[in-house]
Amino acid sequence: MKKKIGTKILAVILAAGMAASLWGCGGNNNGSGDSNRKDPEEIAKENQVQTAEDEEAGEENAADTKEEAGNGEESGAGDAEGSQEPETGKKTEYPLTITTYGSDGTELTTTYEKAPQKVLAVYQGSVETLLALGLEDHIAAAAGLDNEVPEEQKPGFTKINYLDEFTPSLETVTMLEPDLIFSWGSLFGEKTLGDAKGWVEKGTNIYMNTNTHPKNGDVSYQKTLENEYTDILNIGKIFDVQEKAEAIVKEMQDVIADVKEQTKGQEDKPSVLILESYDDGFTNYNAESLGGDMVTQLGGVLANPDGGSIGKEDVIAANPDVIFVVYMPYSGDDPEQLKQEKLNVILGDEAYASLDAVKNNRVVPIMLSEMYASATRTMDGIVTFAKGLYPDLEISE
């Protein structure tokens, strides 16, 4: 059903790719490098529709999705509900100029003469964004899944070539001859996908998830919901499926707007810590993080808006109303077991027993993929945060 790229992977290259993935999430336990990850064949298998009957239905659904969304240069986007209306639907006018980022963190201008036909998508959010937009027929190859794609995307995933390298080597990428490489900033390196600007100079466009682009020198930047919206909308423009992209973003914005409306009279906003445990401390997702921006836009107040790494004393001193516990199951992990282990770092330590969040049963798990370069999973993150912040509120999904 899918072809494999038959290149051999040197252990050094694989290790470098894993290290790059680890760095890309911001350090500590946030990365995707996991020695227990299943091999690519197992990852691909668990993302397939499960039976021959399901597969047949899946292929029919994928064909329907393609018809609804249009296929790049041959057709435009349908309306927000998916039906095609070429007379009124918003269409991309090529050539299209899109600004993304280079491997050095500086802005990089790219130009599209038409919708790309051979895309290499590497990492969860990149693959899922394309599948959510019905663009599986434009994917020449994909790699880098840590988790299963959503059930509704599995029929589309069944049609694509999933590589036998988690982080494709430069050799593999060159052999694929893609016209677009869509991935995280940490993966555009000499030992992985190659230099971003170098690809553009050679005629292959790249699109880098905005919230993962490298710092420009020592200048950091805030990772925001707006950046996630922009990425989805830009991909919609590039592939001439703008209305489908706009519908995805609007659903996210509508939930936030609804929460704000329901809580506008609430004077005391909940204070929050977003914590990922490691060794003897925590990564605190602060005001510069996407998770921090989600909480703030939903009306929460970050109890420690500045700290990156914090210790037990900092958590106790902050005494937030809500603690969101970050966990990230990789292929091979038991998600429920991992989630409970992370929760127990707080719930199982007597030192935290007096915290308001613990006493009031407001220690809430959230997956890293919902709040870090979350792409189309951003909706899941918004809902998780909203329910944790306002447990008595009716949250639309």
Side-chain angles (χ1 to χ4, degrees), residues 34-54:
D34 189 315
S35 60
N36 295 320
R37 181 184 287 112
K38 294 179 183 177
D39 64 50
E41 286 191 5
E42 289 184 82
I43 294 173
K45 184 177 180 180
E46 66 188 14
N47 279 280
Q48 302 295 310
V49 283
Q50 296 304 307
T51 68
E53 182 179 354
D54 290 339

Side-chain angles (χ1 to χ4, degrees), residues 98-305:
I98 294 288
T99 299
T100 184
Y101 292 87
S103 299
D104 60 357
T106 59
E107 288 191 349
L108 182 63
T109 300
T110 57
T111 301
Y112 295 82
E113 299 295 336
K114 61 180 182 179
Q117 300 298 311
K118 295 179 63 179
V119 184
L120 171 61
V122 184
Y123 216 62
Q124 198 88 27
S126 303
V127 177
E128 291 180 352
T129 297
L130 294 172
L131 292 176
L133 292 171
L135 298 169
E136 54 271 10
D137 287 344
H138 294 253
I139 302 175
L145 291 183
D146 279 318
N147 304 118
E148 292 185 33
V149 300
E151 285 298 320
E152 66 271 16
Q153 293 183 9
K154 287 186 177 180
F157 181 87
T158 299
K159 301 174 65 177
I160 69 177
N161 168 26
Y162 189 77
L163 299 178
D164 55 8
E165 299 170 77
F166 182 82
T167 304
S169 65
L170 183 57
E171 177 187 7
T172 297
V173 181
T174 302
M175 290 174 60
L176 285 168
E177 298 183 333
D179 50 12
L180 172 63
I181 305 171
F182 182 19
S183 189
W184 280 25
S186 58
L187 300 184
F188 284 100
E190 292 181 4
K191 295 182 179 180
T192 47
L193 300 179
D195 179 68
K197 185 177 181 181
W199 277 113
V200 174
E201 290 174 343
K202 289 184 289 188
T204 296
N205 276 328
I206 71 100
Y207 192 90
M208 183 182 293
N209 180 285
T210 304
N211 278 330
T212 71
H213 79 74
K215 294 191 297 184
N216 184 1
D218 294 328
V219 179
S220 61
Y221 63 96
Q222 187 173 1
K223 298 168 178 62
T224 65
L225 268 172
E226 192 62 38
N227 286 342
E228 296 299 326
Y229 299 157
T230 297
D231 288 343
I232 295 169
L233 295 174
N234 278 345
I235 297 300
K237 292 174 185 176
I238 290 168
F239 288 93
D240 195 13
V241 288
Q242 292 188 57
E243 291 190 359
K244 201 171 195 63
E246 288 173 359
I248 291 172
V249 170
K250 186 176 184 300
E251 284 185 335
M252 301 174 188
Q253 294 171 327
D254 284 350
V255 172
I256 292 177
D258 181 54
V259 170
K260 286 182 176 178
E261 177 64 25
Q262 292 190 62
T263 59
K264 63 182 180 181
Q266 184 174 326
E267 294 184 4
D268 296 326
K269 302 297 184 181
S271 62
V272 175
L273 282 178
I274 309 169
L275 302 176
E276 182 175 12
S277 60
Y278 67 93
D279 299 330
D280 296 323
F282 299 93
T283 293
N284 170 50
Y285 287 86
N286 57 29
E288 288 191 348
S289 72
L290 175 59
D293 189 47
M294 288 179 169
V295 164
T296 302
Q297 290 210 34
L298 287 164
V301 177
L302 296 174
N304 192 330

Side-chain angles (χ1 to χ4, degrees), residues 296-361:
T296 302
Q297 290 210 34
L298 287 164
V301 177
L302 296 174
N304 192 330
D306 302 318
S309 295
I310 63 175
K312 180 179 292 189
E313 297 78 9
D314 301 307
V315 175
I316 294 170
N319 190 23
D321 297 315
V322 190
I323 298 175
F324 289 97
V325 172
V326 181
Y327 73 104
M328 183 57 180
Y330 300 118
S331 293
D333 288 334
D334 180 331
E336 292 304 314
Q337 178 182 338
L338 179 64
K339 181 197 300 183
Q340 194 59 53
E341 288 174 356
K342 291 292 186 178
L343 287 169
N344 286 344
V345 172
I346 299 292
L347 299 177
D349 191 329
E350 284 297 321
Y352 300 122
S354 63
L355 294 181
D356 290 342
V358 174
K359 290 189 297 182
N360 297 323
N361 195 29

